[in-house]
Amino acid sequence: MGLTLLDSFLTAGSTDFGPLTLKCQAPTLIPRPETAHVFGRLADLLATCRTIDASPLSIVDLCTGSAPIPLLLRHYLGSQIRIKGYDYSQPAIKLARENITSTNLEIQVEQADIFDTSFSGTVRSDMGGRVDMVVSNPPYIPLAEYRDLPASVRDWEDPAALLDCLDGGESGLRFYERISELLPTLLKSKEQVQEAGWKDIPRVAVEIGSSQGMDVKSILREGGMRRTEVWQDQFDKPRMVLGWD
């Protein structure tokens, strides 16, 4: 998440996120340049996977916060994608909607809890069925690491947006486990995606902490991903895990 870079973002209510300028407001997580870097690279990859006359790629962003990831992907890919973000936090959703208005980019966001048993049904109802791809930058900081964060981080940002478990989670992996559990209930078949004109797209892409790559790869394989990759950010730290079925 680039937490050591926080001070450079404490401006008058906005931050640069790739080519976008997004509104910031405590306690919603401030988007980091590392996130923009790896999801910008993802947009480049997806652009190469589209065939002529492909249908729009349907994507959901889990734990969307102020919606930086959907907005960035829509900026780069335009009408080639249809994307919706979900977050449990009403303040985050409110800020996301302000960012949608200020950027004039066509995405949607909705308040929902990914741990709710009805979540997959909610997504399928909203999206008109299963989707092509899941992306996320979920809370992933273990409690022990959170205690060592600078006070400026802990005082500014919602602990629930950073910690994987407010009641004492130690691994930082709880959200990845839930996302992996959801994949079989959210994703279309590989054949359906190919028939819609998309070849060899990753079915899931999640931001990670720098020490979590191997664990998250294993977790995504349990969700049906047969091939996984770890991507590094611009600082040569592991920052994203992608999975293909």
Side-chain angles (χ1 to χ4, degrees):
M1 286 190 182
L3 296 170
T4 59
L5 300 177
L6 180 73
D7 290 343
S8 66
F9 294 103
L10 295 182
T11 57
S14 66
T15 187
D16 290 334
F17 187 72
L20 304 176
T21 298
L22 302 180
K23 294 183 179 181
C24 298
Q25 183 177 338
T28 303
L29 185 71
I30 301 170
R32 272 29 182 222
E34 298 91 326
T35 305
H37 179 86
V38 291
F39 280 95
R41 181 180 171 189
L42 176 65
D44 289 341
L45 173 64
L46 292 177
T48 69
C49 297
R50 182 179 183 272
T51 62
I52 297 174
D53 297 328
S55 302
L57 191 72
S58 58
I59 306 173
V60 291
D61 176 37
L62 309 184
C63 310
T64 198
S66 60
I69 292 170
L71 290 168
L72 188 74
L73 294 178
R74 180 72 185 192
H75 171 83
Y76 283 130
L77 296 169
S79 59
Q80 296 178 38
I81 66 168
R82 181 169 60 95
I83 188 164
K84 185 165 187 173
Y86 293 87
D87 202 288
Y88 80 99
S89 168
Q90 187 59 48
I93 292 298
K94 180 177 181 294
L95 185 58
R97 289 173 176 153
E98 292 177 9
N99 279 323
I100 293 169
T101 299
S102 67
T103 59
N104 197 31
L105 291 167
E106 291 187 26
I107 70 162
Q108 295 180 315
V109 292
E110 197 68 51
Q111 183 181 21
D113 183 353
I114 71 169
F115 289 96
D116 193 294
T117 57
S118 64
F119 180 73
S120 290
T122 297
V123 172
R124 293 195 300 267
S125 176
D126 290 347
M127 299 294 288
R130 294 174 182 254
V131 300
D132 300 308
M133 187 177 184
V134 172
V135 298
S136 183
N137 177 17
Y140 56 69
I141 298 179
L143 185 61
E145 290 184 22
Y146 179 78
R147 294 191 182 109
D148 293 333
L149 292 177
S152 59
V153 176
R154 288 183 278 109
D155 292 345
W156 174 269
E157 310 221 34
D158 183 0
L162 298 169
L163 281 162
D164 82 313
C165 187
L166 290 177
D167 60 5
E170 295 295 335
S171 69
L173 300 174
R174 186 174 70 110
F175 279 81
Y176 302 115
E177 292 166 348
R178 177 55 175 161
I179 291 169
S180 180
E181 181 181 49
L182 288 168
L183 292 179
T185 67
L186 290 178
L187 293 176
K188 297 176 184 176
S189 70
K190 183 177 181 179
E191 292 72 23
Q192 288 175 307
V193 177
Q194 292 176 338
E195 288 171 3
W198 295 87
K199 305 297 184 182
D200 199 32
I201 67 163
R203 309 304 306 281
V204 59
V206 293
E207 183 168 332
I208 59 167
S210 60
S211 65
Q212 295 172 320
M214 295 304 296
D215 287 331
V216 174
K217 286 178 69 172
S218 296
I219 290 168
L220 294 184
R221 289 190 190 108
E222 293 174 2
M225 299 298 105
R226 297 186 178 184
R227 175 165 65 96
T228 55
E229 288 183 8
V230 177
W231 283 2
Q232 294 182 322
D233 61 24
Q234 65 270 49
F235 305 112
D236 295 325
K237 291 185 177 181
R239 188 59 58 191
M240 176 184 279
V241 175
L242 304 95
W244 286 259
D245 58 359

